[in-house]
Amino acid sequence: MKILKVAFVLLFCVMLIGGIVLLLQNEPTIPTDGPFTYTISNGKVTIKDCDKTLSGELVVPSVLGTFPVTAIGSYAFDGCYNITSITIPDSVTEIQMYAFENCTNLESIHIPDSVTSIDRDAFGNCPNLTGIWIDANNSTYASDAKGVLFYKDMTTLIRAPMGLKDPYTIPSTVKTIGDRAFYGCASLKDIVIPDGITAIDWYTFSNCTNLETITIPTSLKSIGYEVFRGCNSLKKVNYKGSEDSWKALDIKGGNTLLTNATVECNFCVHIFDSGTITKPVSCKEDGVRAYTCTLCGRIKLETIPKLNAHIWDAGIRTKSPTCKDYGIYTYTCTVCDTKKEENIPKLATHTWDGGITTQEPTCKDAGVMTYTCRYCGDTKDEVIGVLTTHTPGPPATSTTDQICTVCGKVLAPATGEPTPTEPTTEPTDPSSPIDPSEPPATEDPGNNGGFFGGIADFFGSIGTFFENIFSSFFSLLGF
């Protein structure tokens, strides 16, 4: 009997070990596709993990293996520090908790209309995330102009992106703010909570390290634990209710930073009218527009920057144009005396002087008159016509013509008549005595008889010569 018991125990152990080995051999392996690790259930894929070195703009695939991707699992992209944007395909219907936690460089995420479930803190510790953008056709969720996540009817604010820019006013449709909704929004400095909110849950504004001012409505009745933990910059609370209402507000523990801030009760979120101009604006001075709150009558003044445009007068010519230089027209603002100048185009014509004769005209050639522009120095030449008068040479003689000394034209022909000549006398030396015996000099009648007159003159001279010889001879004889 004992031997049977031992045999039975040994058989059981062998069967148990064999079963374990068989189970280990048949354990399914987790499939991978590219950088993604996933599981398959009912023919649908849930992404469970990914390569943490993924970077830049990530587009999640709609199919892994041969199955549609329908869910982003918890922590699936946790620690993908270098991803900057994520686009989720239309096949996905569920984003589980902490799916994109610690994607510290993630700036935006685009969620399609197919997603019907987004679990808590799916975008936790994404400090650079500036927008959670929901497709407009999504029937479950919506986002506003600043990328804040809401349920479709906009009555519940689910999550603000941690990179939300300051300031932010929660839409008036919102009645509920989710816990941790603004957790870690470090860029937020000023937030306005609308009327209708009755409670703020745990950690809603925790670690909004730069939050300075918050506006709280009179509808608010309670503030949960640690709502303002880490809000070390909080300085002012604008409370719309009375001081008594503020004292009656149920503020849980961990909110000393809120209670130590300066509280302004009866705060009015002003609704100002369109304003009226109380001081006209001009190019010389700023204007002023006054706005009046339609709720409390408070007046807000707004400076209207002075105009860059002027009101110009008709202008005066301060410099006349020439062919060399532009002219100037000067305009003066009738309000502030500012001046502006406008060029007047250069003249296309010249202003000539009286001109000088640079080449005298003659009866042979035309002359030139040169004119010079008084402003630019340009010159122009003008022809002086050929003279109709001549420049006469010596008068005509019996044998020579009178001609023009310039063009050589005969002005008077030779006369062909002898020209009378003047008698000539020998000069006498005053110191020499005059011989009274010498006959007085007679005037040479000249050769006025032509050929025969010349012969007569010749024989007359011979006769006179012999006559003088005989006279001298008879004088020696004493006769």
Side-chain angles (χ1 to χ4, degrees):
M1 190 70 178
K2 185 175 182 181
I3 294 174
L4 289 175
K5 289 182 180 179
V6 172
F8 179 77
V9 170
L10 288 174
L11 179 61
F12 176 78
C13 290
V14 169
M15 291 177 65
L16 179 62
I17 293 171
I20 293 173
V21 170
L22 185 62
L23 287 173
L24 290 174
Q25 287 177 346
N26 294 329
E27 181 182 6
T29 58
I30 299 177
T32 60
D33 189 339
F36 303 103
T37 300
Y38 59 93
T39 60
I40 304 171
S41 177
N42 297 323
K44 298 178 181 180
V45 167
T46 297
I47 295 177
K48 304 299 289 185
D49 201 357
C50 69
D51 184 350
K52 303 307 180 186
T53 63
L54 289 173
S55 63
E57 299 178 358
L58 173 66
V59 177
V60 177
S62 59
V63 175
L64 287 176
T66 58
F67 301 99
V69 176
T70 61
I72 308 296
S74 299
Y75 302 99
F77 291 90
D78 180 17
C80 290
Y81 306 115
N82 297 318
I83 295 175
T84 57
S85 72
I86 297 175
T87 300
I88 298 173
D90 286 334
S91 60
V92 172
T93 60
E94 180 185 7
I95 299 175
Q96 298 177 4
M97 65 173 61
Y98 310 114
F100 299 100
E101 188 173 44
N102 295 319
C103 292
T104 53
N105 284 299
L106 180 63
E107 297 176 358
S108 65
I109 186 165
H110 298 268
I111 298 174
D113 57 3
S114 59
V115 173
T116 58
S117 175
I118 301 175
D119 210 339
R120 62 173 301 189
D121 279 335
F123 314 105
N125 195 31
C126 296
N128 289 304
L129 184 62
T130 58
I132 303 168
W133 306 108
I134 307 296
D135 187 281
N137 295 320
N138 190 296
S139 60
T140 306
Y141 299 102
S143 57
D144 66 4
K146 288 203 171 184
V148 177
L149 178 64
F150 301 84
Y151 280 117
K152 187 66 175 181
D153 61 4
M154 298 291 288
T155 60
T156 301
L157 190 155
I158 301 171
R159 186 67 171 100
M162 292 181 71
L164 177 67
K165 300 300 181 181
D166 177 72
Y168 184 69
T169 298
I170 297 174
S172 60
T173 57
V174 174
K175 305 302 177 185
T176 303
I177 302 175
D179 61 325
R180 299 173 63 89
F182 291 89
Y183 184 91
C185 292
S187 297
L188 192 62
K189 294 183 179 180
D190 187 350
I191 190 166
V192 176
I193 300 173
D195 289 330
I197 302 293
T198 58
I200 301 176
D201 292 331
W202 292 36
Y203 304 109
T204 299
F205 298 102
S206 291
N207 290 338
C208 292
T209 53
N210 287 298
L211 182 64
E212 298 177 355
T213 304
I214 187 168
T215 300
I216 297 176
T218 54
S219 60
L220 189 66
K221 303 303 179 184
S222 67
I223 297 175
Y225 291 97
E226 305 282 351
V227 169
F228 293 95
R229 186 186 63 165
C231 297
N232 297 318
S233 299
L234 187 60
K235 299 175 182 178
K236 186 179 180 183
V237 177
N238 296 323
Y239 181 59
K240 296 181 180 180
S242 65
E243 186 175 352
D244 291 338
S245 296
W246 175 257
K247 291 178 180 179
L249 191 62
D250 182 15
I251 302 176
K252 304 296 185 182
N255 291 300
T256 55
L257 293 172
L258 174 71
T259 56
N260 289 337
T262 300
V263 179
E264 181 183 340
C265 294
N266 297 313
F267 178 79
C268 179
V269 179
H270 303 290
I271 300 176
F272 290 103
D273 61 13
S274 58
T276 57
I277 294 177
T278 57
K279 179 183 177 183
V281 66
S282 71
C283 54
K284 187 176 183 180
E285 294 182 321
D286 294 335
V288 176
R289 186 188 297 272
Y291 299 89
T292 303
C293 177
T294 58
L295 300 177
C296 67
R298 180 178 176 179
I299 296 176
K300 176 181 72 172
L301 300 179
E302 178 184 79
T303 299
I304 306 172
K306 63 183 180 181
L307 301 175
N308 290 325
H310 298 277
I311 301 174
W312 303 109
D313 62 9
I316 58 173
R317 178 180 292 186
T318 52
K319 180 182 177 183
S320 296
T322 67
C323 53
K324 182 180 181 182
D325 299 309
Y326 290 102
I328 295 177
Y329 228 90
T330 301
Y331 299 87
T332 303
C333 177
T334 58
V335 178
C336 66
D337 292 331
T338 297
K339 298 184 184 301
K340 74 170 182 177
E341 294 181 344
E342 184 179 278
N343 282 341
I344 303 172
K346 296 178 183 179
L347 297 179
T349 58
H350 296 280
T351 304
W352 303 111
D353 62 10
I356 59 173
T357 302
T358 53
Q359 181 177 323
E360 294 288 345
T362 67
C363 55
K364 182 179 181 182
D365 299 307
V368 176
M369 177 74 77
T370 300
Y371 299 88
T372 303
C373 178
R374 299 181 187 275
Y375 296 105
C376 68
D378 281 1
T379 59
K380 72 171 182 176
D381 291 335
E382 188 176 276
V383 175
I384 305 173
V386 175
L387 297 180
T388 58
T389 58
H390 297 275
T391 304
T397 65
S398 60
T399 58
T400 60
D401 299 327
Q402 185 185 38
I403 62 173
C404 175
T405 60
V406 175
C407 67
K409 181 179 180 179
V410 175
L411 301 179
T415 61
E417 298 177 355
T419 302
T421 57
E422 291 293 329
T424 58
T425 56
E426 290 282 341
T428 56
D429 186 355
S431 61
S432 301
I434 298 174
D435 187 355
S437 62
E438 285 189 6
T442 60
E443 187 179 66
D444 186 5
N447 187 16
N448 292 328
F451 176 75
F452 294 105
I455 295 176
D457 290 341
F458 174 74
F459 284 107
S461 297
I462 293 175
T464 301
F465 174 74
F466 283 108
E467 183 180 355
N468 289 336
I469 291 176
F470 283 120
S471 294
S472 298
F473 179 73
F474 285 118
S475 294
L476 291 174
L477 292 179
F479 291 104

